[in-house]
Amino acid sequence: MRVPIGSALTICVLSCGDGEPSANKHGSIMNQVDPKPSCRVDSSLIEFLPYESWLGLDQYRADSVQPITHAEIEAAECLLIDHFARGTRDASGEKLSMGLGHYWRQYCSLSDSAGHRLIYLNAICLRGPKPKRPYGGWEIIEDGGDCYFQALFDLQEEVVVFLSVNGEA
């Protein structure tokens, strides 16, 4: 199921021109929308992996030709932040109990039948210090609660195609 997600917005109160707050005719400060919010992910928490068929995304094609860019990671992260900021839950009704900054991220790129670029995310919570090196392969855990979640992003349509937070056994 596709969940429409608008672009994540960052609100600022400074005008772009002179650095002073702008006011409407009533003297109230007006907020301006920053059209390019920053949704950076700590690059030491990112691992790029090739698609493997056992991931179960058979309706999509692996895209091993074009590497994932940091701009694409930021776009996917903006969709994820917006998804959780709206209080949107996954299909099982789960939410994350820890912040998004506490997850190691594994990514691969795919494409759908329409040729859209998709980014798959497998997220693993950090309990303790950050790993000194990547896991070196997909770290898929059954159950485990909100310590693990997976998501698929369509960057062209700017939607979260799916989000699944693991359950508890």
Side-chain angles (χ1 to χ4, degrees):
M1 177 173 92
R2 291 182 180 245
V3 179
I5 303 293
S7 299
L9 302 177
T10 302
I11 305 298
C12 66
V13 293
L14 297 177
S15 96
C16 294
D18 56 12
E20 295 295 322
S22 58
N24 63 17
K25 65 182 180 179
H26 303 291
S28 301
I29 292 177
M30 297 170 50
N31 292 331
Q32 288 186 299
V33 176
D34 180 354
K36 297 194 180 195
S38 174
C39 300
R40 290 189 176 91
V41 177
D42 180 347
S43 60
S44 70
L45 298 176
I46 295 175
E47 184 174 16
F48 299 104
L49 297 168
Y51 172 76
E52 295 188 29
S53 61
W54 58 264
L55 288 170
L57 301 167
D58 299 332
Q59 67 270 37
Y60 306 108
R61 291 183 311 275
D63 183 357
S64 57
V65 176
Q66 183 180 358
I68 300 172
T69 67
H70 284 285
E72 289 173 320
I73 295 301
E74 287 185 23
E77 189 72 10
C78 283
L79 291 171
L80 188 64
I81 289 167
D82 190 48
H83 187 81
F84 283 113
R86 292 172 181 256
T88 310
R89 298 172 183 262
D90 78 328
S92 67
E94 293 286 335
K95 285 190 80 169
L96 301 179
S97 62
M98 58 183 75
L100 289 171
H102 297 281
Y103 287 86
W104 178 269
R105 289 158 168 80
Q106 297 178 319
Y107 293 99
C108 73
S109 59
L110 304 162
S111 60
D112 64 12
S113 60
H116 294 187
R117 175 96 159 151
L118 306 172
I119 302 297
Y120 176 74
L121 164 65
N122 182 50
I124 306 139
C125 72
L126 297 170
R127 293 201 173 147
K130 287 196 284 191
K132 292 185 177 163
R133 59 181 175 72
Y135 286 96
W138 292 102
E139 195 70 23
I140 304 297
I141 308 295
E142 292 186 27
D143 300 325
D146 68 353
C147 197
Y148 307 93
F149 70 91
Q150 299 76 40
L152 184 65
F153 308 97
D154 181 329
L155 299 182
Q156 184 172 336
E157 295 294 324
E158 296 183 339
V159 296
V160 177
V161 177
F162 75 78
L163 171 72
S164 177
V165 178
N166 287 25
E168 299 273 348

